[in-house]
Amino acid sequence: MDYLYVFITGGILCLIAQIIMDNTKLVSGQILVIYIVAGVILTALGLYEPIVRFGGAGATVPLTGFGYSLVKGTVYAVSQDGLLGVLTGPLTATAGGITAAIVFGYIFAVIFSPKTKK
């Protein structure tokens, strides 16, 4: 059942993004920012944690999960290091994901021919 919950959660998040793309003139970069900020806001309000508990990777892998990780990393670092944690926490919590995105993005850009949306 866990796989089904992950699939449903991730699918709903992707469906919302696709509906936004189809019905607005927003480009993928703008939707990316909206999703990250939504993840930050929902986590700060305590609304995203139940979604993560239900959907697992379906909630933490998409861009809203990146916002979730930023907040969680900041909260943890502030509890450990004080005010300095505001600067170090988000980067520490998301370093693996950022590195993977850069490495895989480069690899796929070399293999394929990337194009921008018109």
Side-chain angles (χ1 to χ4, degrees):
M1 284 305 285
D2 289 340
Y3 293 122
L4 180 63
Y5 297 149
V6 169
F7 180 77
I8 289 170
T9 305
I12 289 171
L13 290 171
C14 292
L15 176 67
I16 293 168
Q18 189 64 50
I19 290 170
I20 293 170
M21 287 177 72
D22 290 344
N23 294 314
T24 67
K25 292 185 179 189
L26 296 175
V27 293
S28 56
Q30 293 168 317
I31 296 171
L32 176 142
V33 172
I34 290 168
Y35 261 50
I36 292 173
V37 171
V40 168
I41 291 170
L42 290 172
T43 304
L45 295 173
L47 301 174
Y48 203 69
E49 189 69 36
I51 298 170
V52 170
R53 275 187 260 127
F54 173 79
T60 58
V61 171
L63 291 169
T64 50
F66 184 74
Y68 169 79
S69 296
L70 289 173
V71 173
K72 287 299 197 180
T74 303
V75 170
Y76 177 76
V78 167
S79 70
Q80 298 295 314
D81 304 326
L83 195 56
L84 181 62
V86 171
L87 301 174
T88 61
L91 294 175
T92 303
T94 59
I98 293 170
T99 303
I102 291 170
V103 170
F104 290 122
Y106 178 76
I107 290 170
F108 283 105
V110 168
I111 294 172
F112 300 103
S113 176
K115 297 179 179 85
T116 58
K117 183 178 175 182
K118 293 180 183 183

